[in-house]
Amino acid sequence: MKSIILLFALLAALTITACIQKQGEIADLSKTVTVMLYSEYITPELLKDFQKKTGYKIKLEIYEAQEEMLAKLMTAETGKYDVIIASDVVIQQMIHLGLIAPLNLSLIPNRVNVAPQFRNQKYDPTSAYSLPYLWGTTGILFRGEKIHPDSVSYSMLLDGTITKGTFSLLSESRSMLSMALQATGNSANSTEQAEINKAVEYILQIKQDLHFAGFENSVEGKAKVLSRMNSAAIVFNGEAQAAINEDSTLQFVIPKEGSFMWVDAMLLSSKASNIAGAYAFMNYILDAKVGANLAKSLNFATPNKASLEVIDDSFKNNRVINPNKQEINRMVFLTDLGEKEKLYDEAWMIIKTR
């Protein structure tokens, strides 16, 4: 009898211990905010500061291209991600797919720091789903003879007398097809099949060039130019400035045929498990000093008007980070194409398989 009582007591103790452990796991989970974003897109110092100020830990989930990000979200179980940082061009698609949820803006008081030009944009007309994180441009980082930045063409990638070596293209379908459309004299947001076909042929021609080193994400492209493995790469301006900080002989240009600007925004996953933590993260990023620190650390422009008041003039006047009027005039924002997006998907498939 005593043995039976002892057994029941032992089982009860194990059950209680398991319950306590489970409650601890749930408590730990509620103190963790999972943020999905590009690699090297937040600093360790900011992660530590966020935890110190809010009590929440950050778990980072990294992606390198928009296509990869969408695929991960569509197959994710509930609670996998809380905050997603994604480019403006895919936000409408994410809304239609039910991947993100409307924001309760009353829980993000620092939203008032968003500059007017970054509110109610085409990708989110009522600013119901997104708050801007950083903004930037896409262009060419290269090593070679000094060239006036307003005179550079995409054709320079194929000109060995200028780049004097190999080069890479960006591993994002929409970005590269839009650049090819501009390089061939058409709109970056074209939905005309003939114009898209022309862009495909342009990239296929590049792939046949002996100097073509492949498709890279922006961080890889920057690293290979900096290490002299390649002479040029299509990269984001923040990566370009980071490379220039290490090697001042490098140059970054917006080609004269045009390029595009983009806004990366903070979004709430429709399957978020820590909504309160997600809002705390967004509010933290939109703090004036935090926004300034983020921009200066990553070499991207800030959409935070309060941050601009504490950022030094040398940063604000850096044309790699903050393009001048002439460069802005030849850039566009990429727009959501709805059902026509499949034309780009089909075009990219041709490019990658030939």
Side-chain angles (χ1 to χ4, degrees), residues 189-193 195-196 337 340 343-344:
N189 294 301
S190 175
T191 56
E192 295 295 325
Q193 185 68 69
E195 294 176 355
I196 295 172
L337 301 175
K340 294 289 186 178
L343 298 177
Y344 284 73

Side-chain angles (χ1 to χ4, degrees), residues 145 158-164:
E145 63 185 58
L158 303 175
D159 189 342
T161 64
I162 298 176
T163 56
K164 295 180 171 54

